[in-house]
Amino acid sequence: LARPASGSAARAPKEWAPVARRLLDERFKENGAILLRGLPLATRMDFSEFYLALGYEPVVYHGIASRKEVAPGVFTTNLALPHRTIMMHNDLVHDPVVAEHVFLFCEAPPSAGAGGETPIARNADWAAWLGEEVVDRFRRRGLLRRLHSPSAANEPTSPRTWQRRFQTDDPREVEALCRELSESLEWHADGGLTTERTVPVFRERYGE
């Protein structure tokens, strides 16, 4: 947990970015997660201004969750099935370029009893919990991701359309991105899309 010192003068969101960046660069590897409190971040635009001023290179979002960009570089959480609990996972870990950091911001706290917590876990702990037999099975067999995405023209309310997944309505942009990701793709007569590629089972980060 880190917060501005008592009596610190109020500043614009982006003016706190250099201080926060130094803190993150110095302590992130050791702690894995840092909670920032007391910054002048009240709206999504405040958060966008602060986040962009940190200077990290953003990762273009093209995941399988249903999200909406609400400010430059800021996306909603998964909008699909809000009554469901989303289990522990790594964002975009199936892509060649994995995000070094994930920033979370709460603009409107949930009402009492509504849930909304975002727990954070350490991957090495989960690997130990799975046990060597399961881990070794993945190591030997590998992992293949095959995903079908319907077209918004046929299923406009589906959170899984390829338009939402790739954040575009242009099939050519989808094909270019798939080539970049070494992902095979197949267009179907109904406008849907199936993609497939081998993904790494394990990634090493900070010696783990």
Side-chain angles (χ1 to χ4, degrees), residues 12-187:
K14 65 180 180 182
E15 294 178 333
W16 283 103
V19 179
R21 175 65 188 259
R22 287 195 298 271
L23 176 71
L24 293 170
D25 289 346
E26 291 171 2
R27 301 187 187 178
F28 181 72
K29 289 184 181 180
E30 178 183 352
N31 294 278
I34 297 177
L35 177 62
L36 301 176
R37 293 284 198 199
L39 296 178
L41 306 178
T43 69
R44 61 194 68 180
M45 291 305 299
D46 292 339
F47 180 55
S48 173
E49 178 184 324
F50 171 75
Y51 159 71
L52 294 176
L54 287 171
Y56 292 112
E57 182 179 357
V59 173
V60 177
Y61 182 77
H62 49 266
I64 61 176
S66 177
R67 302 180 189 273
K68 180 180 179 181
E69 188 170 19
V70 293
V74 179
F75 290 81
T76 62
T77 187
N78 193 342
L79 298 174
L81 305 175
H83 59 288
R84 296 281 183 87
T85 296
I86 299 176
M87 304 308 293
M88 290 291 183
H89 64 284
N90 292 293
D91 280 337
L92 301 180
V93 74
H94 44 72
D95 284 352
V97 179
V98 179
E100 184 78 12
H101 305 85
V102 175
F103 293 89
L104 304 173
F105 170 70
C106 180
E107 182 180 49
S111 58
E117 296 87 355
T118 303
I120 299 174
R122 183 171 168 266
N123 281 335
D125 293 339
W126 279 92
W129 177 82
L130 286 172
E132 187 58 32
E133 179 182 352
V134 174
V135 171
D136 186 60
R137 191 184 311 166
F138 276 107
R139 186 180 290 114
R140 286 185 287 106
R141 298 184 62 179
L143 193 62
L144 180 72
R145 190 187 77 154
R146 191 169 194 270
L147 186 65
H148 178 71
S149 302
S151 171
N154 296 328
E155 300 185 30
T157 61
S158 172
R160 301 293 187 180
T161 65
W162 60 261
Q163 287 90 344
R164 291 189 178 183
R165 174 183 169 192
F166 290 97
Q167 301 288 309
T168 180
D169 294 319
D170 188 344
R172 292 171 298 181
E173 292 184 17
V174 173
E175 293 170 0
L177 185 55
C178 285
R179 286 195 298 269
E180 182 181 330
L181 298 174
S182 299
E183 194 161 39
S184 65
L185 77 163
E186 177 185 2
W187 292 106

